[in-house]
Amino acid sequence: MPTKMLQIPTADGQADAFAAFPDGGGRHPGVLMYADGFGIRPVLREMARELAEHGYSVLVPNLFYRHGPAPVIELPEYIGEEVRPAVFAQLMPLIEAHTAERVLSDADAYLRFLTTQPEVGAGPVAVTGYCIGGLLAMRTAAAHPGQVASVAAFHGPVGVDGPDLFSKLTAEIHLGHAEGDMTPEALGELNQALDAAGVSYTSEIYPGTVHGFTMSDTDAFDPAALQRHWDRLLPLLRRTLANG
């Protein structure tokens, strides 16, 4: 499967990115994939390749490129309970510096770049994201309603911007929440806000999960929940994007 590292021109410099494309050449629907806070690493490359196998051209930008190329911080091969506090101590300043203004400026650059790649077909794109990347995916979709046909966010803090964000969405949405992040009452309130915004969505708690359940290199990983994520994501893409 073709993969490559790319440099995306942005208002603040060059963002390094990983890209994966289907075998056989040609042009395929584009998917912008936002990593979790741990960034581009083997598990994200594997997920991008798996998505590309289903007929999509996938771009995974380094969210924290302003602080250096990925990996911006040194990560252990396995992110377990004993190393998590030290890793987060390094990550939090990067996450806090990634303001809403930067998110939207970068989203413009990422989508412009993705849609002009020779491997990407004409038409709308999809955006997906994990953890903090889920929020960035929602913000990107809200800022580009004519361009983003679908958005999926997994164990992400998607409600922090409130109803104002939802009111700008035209994409079809899937939200997969960790049970450890979201009570049934909070889910009901979130879904009511999505109903009020009139968007097409599914929003559910993945049973028995904790934050980060899609990531196989962490102690949050849940294989059944990762499969559920694919079972939700792939039909969403098939419905909303031109056939890969």
Side-chain angles (χ1 to χ4, degrees):
M1 172 169 300
T3 65
K4 52 187 172 182
M5 292 300 297
L6 298 169
Q7 295 290 322
I8 304 173
T10 78
D12 292 330
Q14 298 279 323
D16 51 309
F18 176 78
F21 308 104
D23 286 324
R27 294 161 71 90
H28 303 271
V31 178
L32 175 61
M33 178 185 285
Y34 284 114
D36 60 359
F38 299 130
I40 301 172
R41 58 198 193 282
V43 67
L44 261 297
R45 295 186 185 97
E46 180 183 326
M47 293 173 82
R49 283 194 293 264
E50 182 159 352
L51 192 52
E53 286 176 4
H54 291 276
Y56 301 99
S57 295
V58 185
L59 181 69
V60 189
N62 170 19
L63 306 181
F64 306 129
Y65 68 89
R66 292 173 180 84
H67 305 274
V72 178
I73 68 167
E74 188 174 342
L75 288 172
E77 287 186 17
Y78 182 76
I79 305 167
E81 186 178 355
E82 68 286 350
V83 300
R84 191 176 287 266
V87 171
F88 269 103
Q90 296 178 75
L91 279 177
M92 285 312 297
L94 309 185
I95 293 172
E96 289 166 359
H98 201 54
T99 61
E101 183 180 20
R102 285 183 171 184
V103 171
L104 295 180
S105 174
D106 287 348
D108 291 347
Y110 299 157
L111 289 178
R112 189 182 313 116
F113 183 85
L114 173 64
T115 54
T116 56
Q117 294 308 294
E119 298 89 352
V120 177
V125 301
V127 187
T128 185
Y130 304 89
C131 180
I132 187 65
L135 175 60
L136 306 192
M138 292 284 278
R139 288 175 173 173
T140 299
H144 296 269
Q147 192 170 20
V148 177
S150 53
V151 59
F154 301 94
H155 47 83
V158 294
V160 300
D161 291 347
D164 285 349
L165 177 70
F166 302 152
S167 67
K168 299 171 186 172
L169 290 164
T170 59
E172 184 177 343
I173 300 163
H174 174 71
L175 304 177
H177 310 286
E179 191 173 285
D181 288 342
M182 181 78 71
T183 65
E185 294 76 19
L187 178 67
E189 292 175 5
L190 176 67
N191 291 354
Q192 283 179 1
L194 290 164
D195 286 334
V199 296
S200 175
Y201 76 93
T202 54
S203 172
E204 61 180 333
I205 294 170
Y206 286 23
T209 55
V210 296
H211 184 76
F213 59 77
T214 56
M215 297 297 157
S216 61
D217 61 351
T218 76
D219 55 4
F221 180 55
D222 183 318
L226 176 63
Q227 185 57 52
R228 187 185 188 105
H229 140 282
W230 290 119
D231 292 344
R232 299 295 190 267
L233 177 59
L234 293 173
L236 174 69
L237 299 182
R238 283 196 296 271
R239 282 195 303 274
T240 57
L241 299 182
N243 221 342

